[in-house]
Amino acid sequence: MPDHRPLAPSRHAHATPPWPQTPAAARRRASRRMPALAAALTLVLAGCAGLAGPALADGSAGETRAQAEALATFAAARGGDEGRIAPAVVQLQALSQAAPGHPLWLAYAGAATAMQARTTWQPWKKMAYAEDGLALLDKALALLTPAHMNELHRQVPVALETRLTAASTFLALPAMFQRGERGRRLLAQVQADPALAGTPARFQEAVRQLAATVQP
């Protein structure tokens, strides 16, 4: 005789809805995940706030007052002073606009933009700040040429400082942004560059501190 007993429900039966999702339903599901994603973003960026970076050095000859002030503001913001994040964004964006096509100022503007995720509790704003900052960092890295290894800023090749600035932001973001691997590659590229040995001690220390945060 045929077996008419009901089939046991699969443990995967509720993994996906039995009907096609409408765009509105998909948006509602995504919005429910946003607070958790945003909280992760805030925690990771806050944990990275005290990370020493190349902008923590004193100003040097050949640097304009506006550049020195912008980097000092950025350093304070990265050190945990959230009140300095918005001014850093304004100052660094102005520097980038005054020198279009220069990767270093664009990279710092991107890093500062991403840090704005620490200043709001609104999930969509956190995500927007992070994504906008990443877009600027991607553009800065794309602008690098071999000539930027010969151009120095505070006795550091612009290419190395740009890569380290991008790597520190990439490595601070949650895995959902899928930037960790690129951040590790950029850091490894800086570490392996022979020019690193000729950079100031504070830049080499920034590289070591960032490397210490990377999980093997």
Side-chain angles (χ1 to χ4, degrees):
M1 295 180 59
D3 189 352
H4 296 291
R5 288 177 298 175
L7 294 175
S10 167
R11 59 194 180 99
H12 300 296
H14 301 291
T16 56
W19 54 85
Q21 277 192 288
T22 65
R27 285 195 297 271
R28 284 195 297 271
R29 292 188 66 189
S31 66
R32 288 195 293 269
R33 292 195 298 267
M34 284 290 285
L37 298 179
L41 179 60
T42 298
L43 289 173
V44 175
L45 285 174
C48 188
L51 178 65
L56 295 183
D58 295 332
S60 59
E63 187 172 70
T64 68
R65 180 176 180 178
Q67 291 170 349
E69 289 178 351
L71 291 179
T73 305
F74 177 82
R78 175 171 278 181
D81 186 348
E82 292 188 0
R84 306 297 283 170
I85 295 176
V89 172
V90 172
Q91 291 173 319
L92 290 164
Q93 285 181 345
L95 290 177
S96 181
Q97 291 167 4
H102 197 285
L104 183 60
W105 303 119
L106 190 59
Y108 275 123
T113 298
M115 277 198 291
Q116 288 184 110
R118 287 162 35 196
T119 66
T120 178
W121 287 104
Q122 295 177 323
W124 57 91
K125 282 192 175 182
K126 288 183 180 292
M127 301 295 289
Y129 284 141
E131 290 172 353
D132 289 349
L134 290 174
L136 294 176
L137 286 163
D138 286 341
K139 185 175 180 180
L141 292 168
L143 289 170
L144 287 175
T145 68
H148 291 117
M149 281 303 299
N150 298 321
E151 182 183 349
L152 300 182
H153 172 250
R154 294 181 172 181
Q155 300 177 296
V156 177
V158 163
L160 294 189
E161 190 169 349
T162 299
R163 290 183 182 118
L164 186 64
T165 301
S168 65
T169 300
F170 291 170
L171 292 170
L173 291 171
M176 64 181 179
F177 287 96
Q178 299 182 346
R179 296 304 181 101
E181 181 58 33
R182 192 178 187 192
R184 285 187 287 272
R185 289 200 306 268
L186 287 168
L187 176 60
Q189 191 174 358
V190 172
Q191 290 175 305
D193 199 301
L196 178 62
T199 61
R202 51 88 187 169
F203 184 81
Q204 296 185 44
E205 178 60 22
V207 174
R208 284 192 290 269
Q209 287 192 20
L210 182 58
T213 70
V214 178
Q215 296 181 352

